[in-house]
């Protein structure tokens, strides 16, 4: 989808019998009359054209081969070896188009003892350390509220594809990209991974708190919650001033961040007692312009009503072929010399099959009709 946002002509190849599984992941669904489409599918399929191909059939494989002759990038997420058995592996398709960028996204990568295992976001969150560090200190491990490992892997794959295209411009050759959920997740452990590798420090859960910075967490107020992040000693002084607790800055237990980490519990209890004396609105007004980060804990409605989100025009209204007007989150990046746009709404299953076969592959109407009658598309 991100490649589509940047202007690529993205062709989504789907199974004629039901298509992408996420089309059925709901509720909620966008509906109009007898037509429906899942909100889940709608969120990640803008700027794509959909065509249906039975890749298990000889005719379907021929369609894919013909597409490969002219396409720049192929993205697939089959288990390693599955497409090779269909005659559609990298080594096979590279012979058809030596410039092809073949991006393989799997749970565990193309090699290694777990390579043949299917990978799901929540499984990788558990297996690659993320659940271990997510949740309250005394609570059970929890998953992140969105499929963050899937999203992170997509971001890594996106940048890898762009890099491969740039390299192809130099060498004239394509290549296979091997991108896995588990490696993307481990790479995303960031400082937690470094703490272990450098200092042999095993991570623990801290809820919303930070293992190395205090105060840096959610605090309860009289009526809800507020997130406060005093990332350095100067910001801590400003926080204490706005909370009416300036005396804390003279307390040797709290003057430096390393001291505050050591005396975390004492400091957090003092701040919590103070913040619970007034409402979140009161504290947001009190902290405004203080010079350090803070925020309320917004629900999803409040998030989309946020004045900054509204001002930036992130939400777009698009017209879907069967369910009419829908709202979608648009591209989050803006360019000074280019425009990202939602050119196409999320597609109906197979909406562009004939169009692609006719205008991209130059198949005749008779040829297309034959493919339909034989169940190849």
């Amino acid at each position: 989808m991100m490649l589509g946002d940047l202007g690529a002509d993205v062709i989504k190849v789907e199974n004629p019998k039901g298509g992408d599984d996420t089309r059925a992941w709901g509720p909620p669904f966008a509906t109009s009359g007898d037509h429906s489409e899942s909100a889940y599918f709608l969120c990640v399929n803008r700027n794509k054209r959909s065509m249906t191909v039975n890749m298990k059939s000889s005719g379907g494989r021929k369609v894919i081969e013909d597409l490969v002759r002219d396409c720049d990038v192929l993205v697939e997420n089959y288990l390693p070896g599955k497409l090779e058995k269909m005659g559609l592996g990298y080594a096979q398709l590279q012979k058809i188009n030596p410039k092809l960028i073949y991006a393989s996204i799997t749970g565990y990568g193309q090699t290694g003892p777990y390579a043949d295992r299917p990978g799901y976001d929540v499984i990788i969150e558990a297996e690659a350390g993320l659940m271990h560090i997510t949740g309250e200190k005394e609570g059970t491990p929890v998953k992140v509220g969105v499929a963050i490992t899937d999203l992170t892997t997509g971001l890594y794959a996106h940048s890898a594809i762009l890099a491969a295209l740039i390299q192809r411009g130099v060498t004239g050759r394509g290549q296979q990209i091997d991108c896995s959920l588990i490696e993307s997740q481990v790479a995303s452990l960031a400082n937690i991974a470094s703490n272990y590798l450098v200092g042999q420090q095993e991570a623990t859960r801290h809820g919303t708190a930070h293992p190395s910075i205090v105060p840096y967490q959610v605090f309860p107020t009289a009526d809800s919650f507020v997130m406060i992040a005093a990332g350095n000693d100067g910001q801590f002084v400003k926080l204490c001033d706005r909370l009416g607790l300036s005396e804390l800055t003279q307390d040797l237990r709290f003057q430096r961040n390393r001291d505050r980490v050591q005396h975390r519990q004492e400091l957090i209890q003092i701040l919590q007692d103070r913040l619970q004396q007034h409402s979140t609105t009161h504290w947001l007004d009190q902290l405004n312009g203080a010079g350090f980060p803070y925020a309320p804990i917004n629900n999803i409605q409040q998030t989309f009503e946020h004045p900054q989100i509204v001002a930036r025009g992130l939400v777009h209204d698009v017209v879907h072929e069967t369910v009419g007007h829908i709202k979608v989150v648009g591209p989050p990046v803006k360019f000074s010399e280019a425009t990202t746009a939602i050119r196409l709404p999320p597609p109906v299953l197979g909406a562009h099959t004939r169009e692609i076969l006719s205008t991209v592959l130059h198949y005749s109407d008779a040829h297309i009709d034959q493919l339909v009658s034989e169940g190849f598309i």
Side-chain angles (χ1 to χ4, degrees), residues 13-33:
V13 179
E14 302 187 69
N15 186 332
K17 298 180 179 179
D20 186 334
D21 287 345
T22 66
R23 289 182 180 275
W25 287 7
F29 294 91
T31 60
S32 178

Side-chain angles (χ1 to χ4, degrees), residues 185-218:
Q185 178 50 58
V186 172
S188 300
L189 290 175
N191 60 295
I192 300 297
S194 187
N195 289 348
Y196 175 75
L197 294 174
V198 175
Q200 291 75 53
Q201 178 180 317
E202 180 56 77
T204 58
R205 289 183 290 282
H206 290 270
T208 60
H210 195 288
S212 305
I213 306 173
V214 176
Y216 195 103
Q217 67 182 74
V218 168

